[in-house]
Structure formats: C-alpha cells, structure tokens
Amino acid sequence: MTAGQDGGSVVRIDAFIERNLGDADLRPVAIAAHHHISVRTLHELFRERPETVAAAIRRRRPEHCRTDLTDPRLRHRTIGEIALGWGFRHPADFSQAFRTAYGMPPGELRHAALHSLPDARRAALSDEHRCRHS
C-alpha cells in the first residue's frame, strides 16, 4: 500500500468503526477481517494515531452514550438500553467505563442534564412523549 492508500484505508476503517460501535463484538480482529487485512496491518495503519484501535472504540462508546443520555428526546430510553445500543453487553462494564470517562455514574449525568432544561422545554418534551405513547 502507498501512503495515500493507507490514509484512505484509515478513513474507511474509521467510518466502519463509527457505523458499528453498537456491535458488542467490534474488536480489532473483526475490523481487520472485514477489511481483508491482518490485525498487524490494522495496528500499523493506526500507528501514528494517539490511541490504538481498541482504545478508540473504548473512548467512542461512552461518548455516544453520553450524547444519548443527555438528549431529552431519548429520555424514554433506559440507561441500559442506551448502553446496549452502543455495544456494552453488561451494565457493570458500562457503568465502569462511563465513570472512568466522566467521573460520575451515567444516571447522575442524565439527571443533571435533563433537570437543567428550562421548565417550558421539559413540559413540551413530556407532552410530546405522552402523545407518542398514547
């Protein structure tokens, strides 16, 4: 591969990782197999990056969970559903990863985010949620 091809490969692999973060089996072995390269080649492609492929996955999953947990439109989804949707099989694993990333449990962050909304916005979201589930 040339340097230009390497860059294109990394972009494609990054996009693949992003699209598949919800797959609990997303690991370097699966990523390499999908792209028909060896795990060693995958790691070589990411050598110039500040984090390994696995570390990037471990960082991105809690980031997406945080976004969903603080989105008032998703407050009807449980914390467990959100975690599962982003590839966490076990609540304890999610809780630990989230605490490590953000210094607080996911429920505390969600509570703070949703209760910091203006009262009128919170009421409108409640009405919207009630209408959808009636």
Side-chain angles (χ1 to χ4, degrees):
M1 265 189 244
T2 66
Q5 289 173 317
D6 285 357
S9 295
V10 171
V11 169
R12 282 191 303 281
I13 292 167
D14 262 337
F16 175 81
I17 291 168
E18 194 64 31
R19 282 191 314 273
N20 291 281
L21 276 175
D23 180 354
D25 293 322
L26 184 67
R27 292 182 173 72
V29 170
I31 296 165
H34 179 83
H35 290 88
H36 309 289
I37 59 176
S38 69
V39 174
R40 181 178 181 186
T41 299
L42 175 67
H43 289 302
E44 282 294 314
L45 288 170
F46 281 76
R47 184 183 65 233
E48 301 298 320
R49 294 276 181 100
E51 60 191 3
T52 66
V53 175
I57 292 167
R58 285 191 306 270
R59 176 185 51 77
R60 289 176 181 178
R61 283 181 171 151
E63 286 175 354
H64 283 286
C65 289
R66 182 180 193 274
T67 298
D68 286 359
L69 288 168
T70 59
D71 185 340
R73 296 167 299 176
L74 298 178
R75 69 182 192 191
H76 64 280
R77 294 189 66 207
T78 67
I79 292 171
E81 288 170 339
I82 289 171
L84 189 61
W86 288 110
F88 288 98
R89 285 188 174 129
H90 306 288
D93 293 342
F94 169 61
S95 184
Q96 179 61 43
F98 197 88
R99 278 179 181 264
T100 298
Y102 299 106
M104 68 175 64
E108 187 176 315
L109 175 88
R110 181 178 233 187
H111 180 81
L114 295 180
H115 285 85
S116 68
L117 292 171
D119 289 338
R121 178 74 177 128
R122 210 173 25 245
L125 287 166
S126 287
D127 292 343
E128 179 183 313
H129 179 72
R130 249 192 316 279
C131 288
R132 264 189 290 166
H133 296 288
S134 300

